[in-house]
Amino acid sequence: MKKTSLDLPSLSQKDLLCTSALPATDIETIFATAKALKAGRETHTDVLRHKRLAMIFEKDSLRTRFTFDIGMQDLGGSAVFMDHRDARLGSRESVRDVAKNLERWVHGIVARTFKHKVLEELAQHAEIPVINGLSDFVHPCQALSDFFTLTEKWGSVRGRTLTFVGDGNNTCHALIHTAVKLGTNIRVCSPEGYEPNSRVVNEAMRAAQDTGAEVTILNDPEAAAEGADAIYTDVWASMGQEDEIEERNGIFAAYQVDEDLMARAKKGALFMHCLPAHRGWEVTQEVMDGSQSVVYDIAENRLHVQKAVLALLIR
Ligand code: CP
Ligand code: NVA
């Protein structure tokens, strides 16, 4: 197996907590690196040789856990997983002390936490990069993989329209932040009371002035789908909201992405979902498994994009 090094520029940030902190140039660097890594999966095994990644997860995961672990192996490094589902980070010892210990042993941390603040605290106290593997606020690795996939499909995402239908949640926030940086129009359609955080929307509207992107928040799914280039949805109840599932299933019933809704979008519009998906709830079986669905392409790209993030952040 060849072991060719990549030419790796630096990102402007130590951590990846939220794409709102990433300049568009950093996102472009991540995408260019991901593209090179994807093209030469067998040839970059020395990039993170002898580097170690700590993975601390307070919630379940399939994609994030596998892709970060495999990503480190692909690049010549290794990952140590710590299942933190029984106790939130900071309960046994302070988050600061967790950071100060880990930085002595490993070269980077991926954490999936309930509270976004815990990630900020980790990043504040650790000298090593901290990567957000999903918090209650945002899911940056997901949004980067989503937009990398769109770039592959469309060439350019600038001026295209992405419609998110469903809960104004972590995935939705990350999509909003990332869309405006890249000049993609973003429409979010949620039931009243479940719209995205107004701070995220206001910040995105300010950032959109630089790229010409439009940010639209609405409650009518049919209007939101009209002429869209892609339709995205996510679960109606996120991890930690299990008690609300029944209530939410009622409130969100009219927000299911089905073939009729897809037909309102542009011909050939893409269907996107971060997964895990609940067929028959936020998306029908037909749309999920239909020809317009790119859900498994996105899942594959989690690996390539996160490898790029690891290669660019870990020193
Ligand atoms: N989309 C995503 O983050 O999947 P997991 O929860 O399985 O990691
Ligand atoms: N919004 C979902 C995303 C899972 C990847 C959750 O937080 O559970």
Side-chain angles (χ1 to χ4, degrees):
M1 192 181 285
K2 275 203 292 175
K3 289 172 187 155
T4 318
S5 267
L6 281 177
D7 180 22
L8 290 172
S10 303
L11 295 185
S12 65
Q13 310 292 309
K14 171 178 90 68
D15 309 294
L16 174 55
L17 301 186
C18 183
T19 47
S20 67
L22 282 185
T25 47
D26 278 355
I27 300 179
E28 284 156 15
T29 301
I30 293 170
F31 286 3
T33 309
K35 191 175 172 190
L37 286 167
K38 186 171 179 176
R41 187 165 174 197
E42 302 298 309
T43 58
H44 301 297
T45 54
D46 61 343
V47 171
L48 293 182
R49 179 171 292 275
H50 303 312
K51 303 288 184 190
R52 288 179 291 272
L53 178 74
M55 297 172 56
I56 311 176
F57 279 49
E58 291 181 347
K59 309 176 195 173
D60 290 341
S61 172
L62 175 72
R63 281 147 291 272
T64 309
R65 178 175 176 175
F66 266 81
T67 49
F68 270 112
D69 194 335
I70 295 165
M72 282 304 287
Q73 294 179 44
D74 273 5
L75 297 175
S78 59
V80 181
F81 183 78
M82 187 172 182
D83 186 345
H84 234 281
R85 282 177 304 174
D86 288 340
R88 296 199 182 183
L89 233 113
S91 57
R92 181 162 178 259
E93 60 188 319
S94 69
V95 173
R96 179 183 184 281
D97 272 351
V98 173
K100 300 313 287 174
N101 278 265
L102 286 176
E103 71 183 15
R104 300 295 177 109
W105 309 318
V106 301
H107 305 88
I109 303 170
V110 172
R112 169 168 283 198
T113 60
F114 282 95
K115 287 196 163 55
H116 189 74
K117 267 201 162 322
V118 169
L119 285 170
E120 291 177 335
E121 215 179 323
L122 266 181
Q124 182 195 337
H125 295 294
E127 300 283 334
I128 53 177
V130 175
I131 299 168
N132 180 354
L134 176 114
S135 67
D136 57 358
F137 183 50
V138 280
H139 197 1
C141 295
Q142 180 67 50
L144 289 172
S145 308
D146 296 328
F147 276 93
F148 178 73
T149 307
L150 291 178
T151 310
E152 286 185 326
K153 301 286 176 196
W154 295 337
S156 169
V157 296
R158 189 168 285 270
R160 298 278 192 160
T161 298
L162 171 64
T163 289
F164 180 94
V165 182
D167 188 21
N169 62 14
N170 40 16
T171 302
C172 173
H173 290 161
L175 287 171
I176 296 173
H177 279 315
T178 313
V180 294
K181 298 263 168 168
L182 298 176
T184 308
N185 303 319
I186 177 98
R187 293 183 199 153
V188 178
C189 174
S190 316
E192 238 179 285
Y194 294 87
E195 293 94 348
N197 181 312
S198 56
R199 197 158 50 86
V200 171
V201 174
N202 291 335
E203 192 183 331
M205 283 180 169
R206 280 195 299 276
Q209 287 170 4
D210 294 337
T211 60
E214 288 168 17
V215 182
T216 316
I217 309 298
L218 59 181
N219 304 112
D220 175 5
E222 293 180 357
E226 209 61 57
D229 293 289
I231 297 193
Y232 198 122
T233 191
D234 184 12
V235 292
W236 293 336
S238 285
M239 289 182 276
Q241 296 172 332
E242 287 77 8
D243 293 354
E244 299 173 35
I245 285 178
E246 227 165 281
E247 185 192 356
R248 281 172 176 257
N249 282 350
I251 293 169
F252 282 81
Y255 290 77
Q256 184 184 65
V257 179
D258 59 13
E259 285 178 316
D260 287 346
L261 197 69
M262 287 301 295
R264 293 188 173 264
K266 276 204 189 120
K267 196 167 181 290
L270 303 177
F271 170 71
M272 306 173 75
H273 195 308
C274 57
L275 308 180
H278 299 131
R279 289 172 166 81
W281 298 98
E282 75 270 8
V283 58
T284 60
Q285 183 88 25
E286 293 72 29
V287 170
M288 187 60 193
D289 298 328
S291 60
Q292 289 159 267
S293 173
V294 292
V295 298
Y296 304 118
D297 294 332
I298 300 170
E300 181 195 334
N301 283 334
R302 293 291 304 275
L303 174 66
H304 307 301
V305 169
Q306 287 160 198
K307 277 168 70 176
V309 169
L310 291 167
L312 292 164
L313 285 182
I314 290 181
R315 288 290 170 254

